[in-house]
Amino acid sequence: MNYVDGFVVAVPAENKAAYQALAEKAAPLFKEFGALRVVECWAEDVPDGRLTDFRRAVQAQDNEEVVFSWIEYLSKEVRDAANEKMMADPRMKALGDEMPFDGKRMIYGGFMPILDN
């Protein structure tokens, strides 16, 4: 199975178009660096939980929506090499300057799938 990087971020609702534009610019770069698939999902049905939930995880404000995204790589080693290339690429730095959300509240991590059915 492939390796997956997962992300959750709060984006001001008014920045949806800017977020989508940024994602559309970034996806080809991720693929150039080794990603197999890039998926971006805008919240549609994200309920408040009793103990925790997506909104609380990223401290989403009333005017913000949650974005859930993932990037698939062939392996963790390919992901690690891609991350090194991204950190050194000036195009990625320029995209980082365009982020239409508070990156400090983003949560992310690498995951090894245990079921893909």
Side-chain angles (χ1 to χ4, degrees), residues 2-20:
N2 298 331
Y3 194 78
V4 177
D5 268 351
F7 306 87
V8 181
V9 67
V11 179
E14 65 193 27
N15 291 352
K16 182 178 182 180
Y19 183 89
Q20 185 167 356

Side-chain angles (χ1 to χ4, degrees), residues 52-111:
T52 190
D53 55 50
F54 278 104
R55 295 187 61 78
R56 278 188 259 186
V58 292
Q59 300 174 352
Q61 304 300 307
D62 290 341
N63 67 327
E64 294 177 320
E65 294 297 339
V66 174
V67 172
F68 173 63
S69 61
W70 68 92
I71 304 171
E72 293 180 26
Y73 295 94
L74 188 60
S75 66
K76 183 179 186 299
E77 293 76 21
V78 171
R79 188 282 307 257
D80 291 347
N83 281 345
E84 284 186 33
K85 292 174 189 172
M86 283 185 269
M87 297 306 268
D89 193 295
R91 297 171 297 171
M92 290 301 291
K93 167 78 169 95
L95 289 179
D97 293 340
E98 295 179 32
M99 289 195 312
F101 60 91
D102 179 3
K104 290 178 273 187
R105 291 186 284 138
M106 175 173 63
I107 59 173
Y108 60 91
F111 298 86

Side-chain angles (χ1 to χ4, degrees), residues 10-66:
V11 179
E14 65 193 27
N15 291 352
K16 182 178 182 180
Y19 183 89
Q20 185 167 356
L22 177 66
E24 289 172 357
K25 289 179 194 175
L29 296 178
F30 285 116
K31 287 188 168 186
E32 178 184 325
F33 298 135
L36 301 173
R37 183 177 180 209
V38 178
V39 179
E40 298 281 352
C41 304
W42 191 263
E44 183 174 295
D45 183 17
V46 179
D48 292 338
R50 293 180 97 168
L51 297 177
T52 190
D53 55 50
F54 278 104
R55 295 187 61 78
R56 278 188 259 186
V58 292
Q59 300 174 352
Q61 304 300 307
D62 290 341
N63 67 327
E64 294 177 320
E65 294 297 339
V66 174

